[in-house]
Amino acid sequence: GKAAGEKDAGKLGAAGETGDASEKWERDAVEMEGGESPDEQAVFLRKHGRGVDDCMGVSAADVMVSSDNLSPLSDKNEGAAYARGGIFNTGVVFLKHTENAKAFAEAWNDNLNQDEGRFAPLTSDQQVFNAMVRREGHWPGLELKALPDGFPVTRVLVGNGLPNGEAFNLGVLPVALFQPGHVAFLQRVKEVLPDFNGPYGVHATYTFDGSTSSAKRLRFAEAGLWDPSADDAQVGLGGVEADDATFHAGGVPRVLTWDPAVATRGIDESVPNIGSHLEAGGRQLELLRDAIAMAQLTNRTLAVPRFTCFCDKVWGGHDNIFNFNCHYPGSKDSGHIPGPCPMDHFVSPAKLRESGVAFVALEELRRAPYEFGGDDFGAVRVEFKENADAGGGETVVTAGGGRGVTLPVGADSAVVVDALGKLRDVPLLKFTGEMPRFAGFTTQRAAREFNARVTNIAMKSAPEWCSECHPQGCRELIPADVITSGRLKPVRNVHDQFCADFKQPEPLRTVGKESFLAMAGGLVDSTTMTEDDGL
């Protein structure tokens, strides 16, 4: 992340879009003579499968910019008429080698450095860009530029802001081809645009885990858009400076993942619903806690699959998501909810790393240096079943002829270590079946240490879920039983906002002989112990 963005990360916008905007502009300006000026949190695909025709509608522009609009379908059908009603995102800016483009760049820089006047109060290069290209005091303040016959719908607007008062051609890049983060990480563009063959690039926009480069890297990795070879040589697992030993122990990559359906089984996955979202969130956090514990017991690295959202999440709880069937306003026509969504909707990945949890995004396993192949990455399944053999796991033969085990729901650390230890040479294990409901550790020390580091700190970093309910009011939009699971807050003295937390996983306990001896000997009073004791 850029220092300018990190120091002011609480504000809306990507890293580098807040704080000292003029410093960011000067770094980007070095690249302007060559054409493109991408934000450091953007990626461009080596193979995009697109043709020249996809950008004919924007070809007349002097300056091209990406958009924060979230409907690829409306963007394709309406072009600049749709784009001008939204916010231009300076994460991707392309300046042609024209006099007007150079004049605009100079004016942009001058406006960023104003100490007084119209642009002085603005805090980011993006805010200045959006203000200067529109006619002051008008909305949207941009006229469409007609293109010659034979061209597709125009993507060019008559932009303002040149020093001599003249206009220039402002082009808006297609949402489907230059995707903002929400489109790339949640929306299913291929289902809306059947002829879609992939984007040119993606701008991360924002995350719910801060504006650091590692937070945005993880979002790219979750979506299969990050090449680990792009990480600096000294950066280890998941792009984090850390010992990579758990992944390559003994020269053999040893990883653990799980089937996301384990946590959502029984929840209707065809209907967006905030109640289902809160229930699924609690289950997914419990499964994550169990996976962390069992990965650490077996010296494996987690490969985290994408979580499942039954309701989208809006920035800061603003807007009324309920009026859009639990979709981020502007994105409803993508129909992506319920569906896969980023991990940071549910927990802070940064807090997990700070607590010593080693993990990568599951999709990273496809790429070097990991290079797992196949639809299921060649995983050997560990199936959790009620009433399975509790004596160390029942060995089974998988569909591919490999080994696997079944474990009882509620297995403790001794059972897990014994059963999974027999699969030590297997690169990737995948939890399936029922929720594991990991019973706990056989020593008080292990339980106390895990709870103090993971359960009671990292797992409690889940961001609060909020949405406003204007104009109807929350009680008209949300079932009464769901409202009781959260809280209502007044917002701007006009309407209310519903907020709720996911159910947090319970601290893991001490089981077996040590637990029994401690209680029998009066060493620990099980009726008054704290959750940190893990007993």
Side-chain angles (χ1 to χ4, degrees):
K2 300 170 188 156
E6 290 178 345
K7 72 181 181 182
D8 203 8
K11 294 183 179 179
L12 175 61
E17 294 172 0
T18 54
D20 194 338
S22 63
E23 290 182 8
K24 188 249 187 181
W25 189 95
E26 290 169 4
R27 287 194 294 274
D28 286 349
V30 175
E31 302 180 26
M32 286 187 177
E33 279 296 313
E36 59 185 313
S37 173
D39 186 287
E40 288 160 316
Q41 308 301 345
V43 298
F44 292 88
L45 279 68
R46 297 188 184 101
K47 297 179 181 179
H48 47 70
R50 308 305 303 175
V52 174
D53 291 348
D54 295 305
C55 290
M56 283 184 65
V58 77
S59 58
D62 297 302
V63 177
M64 304 178 196
V65 64
S66 57
S67 166
D68 271 348
N69 286 341
L70 299 181
S71 174
L73 182 61
S74 296
D75 182 80
K76 180 179 180 179
N77 293 338
E78 302 173 33
Y82 169 70
R84 65 179 174 175
I87 301 299
F88 304 124
N89 192 308
T90 55
V92 180
V93 177
F94 189 99
L95 293 98
K96 278 189 178 179
H97 206 283
T98 66
E99 292 304 317
N100 278 348
K102 292 180 181 179
F104 175 80
E106 292 174 0
W108 190 13
N109 186 38
D110 290 343
N111 291 335
L112 283 166
N113 289 286
Q114 284 189 10
D115 294 325
E116 55 184 26
R118 176 186 175 193
F119 304 108
L122 304 181
T123 61
S124 71
D125 64 277
Q126 181 166 298
Q127 289 181 9
V128 172
F129 186 104
N130 276 272
M132 65 183 286
V133 300
R134 303 176 190 271
R135 285 186 292 127
E136 186 175 5
H138 294 78
W139 184 264
L142 289 161
E143 301 301 324
L144 301 178
K145 181 177 179 62
L147 297 182
D149 291 341
F151 277 70
V153 61
T154 184
R155 305 197 62 83
V156 182
L157 297 160
V158 179
N160 305 279
L162 297 188
N164 58 7
E166 294 184 2
F168 71 100
N169 292 337
L170 173 64
V172 187
L173 296 166
V175 168
L177 302 186
F178 296 85
Q179 297 180 356
H182 191 277
V183 173
F185 304 142
L186 285 95
Q187 295 175 228
R188 297 190 282 265
V189 179
K190 183 68 175 176
E191 296 180 15
V192 179
L193 304 176
D195 60 345
F196 178 68
N197 292 317
Y200 282 111
V202 173
H203 177 236
T205 318
Y206 64 86
T207 83
F208 293 116
D209 197 32
S211 294
T212 65
S213 57
S214 60
K216 296 189 177 185
R217 179 206 179 281
L218 178 59
R219 280 210 166 188
F220 286 127
E222 288 178 301
L225 293 173
W226 189 266
D227 185 346
S229 65
D231 295 323
D232 293 338
Q234 72 272 18
V235 173
L237 194 65
V240 176
E241 294 183 17
D243 183 5
D244 215 359
T246 56
F247 192 92
H248 296 291
V252 177
R254 301 175 62 247
V255 193
L256 185 151
T257 189
W258 61 91
D259 180 356
V262 169
T264 60
R265 189 170 288 113
I267 300 177
D268 186 350
E269 296 196 24
S270 66
V271 180
N273 185 286
I274 181 56
S276 297
H277 186 65
L278 296 175
E279 180 183 358
R283 291 192 199 176
Q284 290 177 99
L285 291 176
E286 179 186 339
L287 180 55
L288 175 63
R289 179 207 61 188
D290 289 354
I292 292 171
M294 288 184 273
Q296 294 183 358
L297 283 168
T298 55
N299 196 29
R300 288 181 175 271
T301 294
L302 283 182
V304 181
R306 301 194 74 187
F307 282 58
T308 302
C309 281
F310 291 79
C311 199
D312 213 334
K313 182 176 174 65
V314 292
W315 183 270
H318 302 302
D319 298 310
N320 182 352
I321 203 169
F322 304 110
N323 278 351
F324 301 92
N325 200 23
C326 264
H327 289 72
Y328 205 114
S331 71
K332 182 181 176 181
D333 61 7
S334 291
H336 56 278
I337 298 295
C341 61
M343 182 180 182
D344 62 40
H345 280 226
F346 297 90
V347 68
S348 165
K351 291 293 185 183
L352 289 177
R353 295 196 195 280
E354 290 172 10
S355 296
V357 179
F359 69 90
V360 296
L362 180 62
E363 285 297 317
E364 291 187 68
L365 299 188
R366 298 189 189 278
R367 302 178 182 271
Y370 313 131
E371 296 182 332
F372 285 76
D375 293 338
D376 205 27
F377 302 98
V380 170
R381 299 190 171 217
V382 178
E383 183 180 7
F384 284 86
K385 294 176 62 177
E386 292 284 357
N387 304 317
D389 177 20
E394 175 187 351
T395 301
V396 297
V397 178
T398 65
R403 290 172 297 154
V405 297
T406 58
L407 286 174
V409 170
D412 62 26
S413 59
V415 173
V416 169
V417 170
D418 180 61
L420 301 191
K422 298 171 184 176
L423 299 173
R424 180 175 176 80
D425 61 330
V426 173
L428 176 61
L429 299 179
K430 182 176 183 177
F431 291 163
T432 65
E434 304 295 324
M435 287 281 284
R437 310 242 182 250
F438 179 59
F441 300 93
T442 55
T443 69
Q444 294 180 53
R445 179 178 180 180
R448 183 179 293 112
E449 185 275 334
F450 184 88
N451 289 329
R453 181 172 52 85
V454 178
T455 312
N456 297 328
I457 296 180
M459 297 302 297
K460 291 186 177 180
S461 64
E464 183 181 50
W465 192 97
C466 292
S467 173
E468 296 181 7
C469 301
H470 60 85
Q472 302 97 318
C474 292
R475 296 189 185 279
E476 297 296 322
L477 296 170
I478 307 170
D481 62 319
V482 176
I483 286 182
T484 60
S485 68
R487 52 206 165 275
L488 298 181
K489 301 178 180 179
V491 179
R492 294 190 289 274
N493 297 318
V494 177
H495 49 266
D496 53 359
Q497 178 187 59
F498 173 73
C499 294
D501 297 306
F502 300 113
K503 182 181 177 181
Q504 295 299 299
E506 296 293 330
L508 291 173
R509 302 171 69 85
T510 308
V511 297
K513 183 171 69 173
E514 186 167 324
S515 173
F516 175 77
L517 291 176
M519 288 189 289
L523 299 178
V524 176
D525 182 352
S526 62
T527 63
T528 60
M529 64 184 180
T530 68
E531 62 179 15
D532 289 333
D533 290 318
L535 182 62

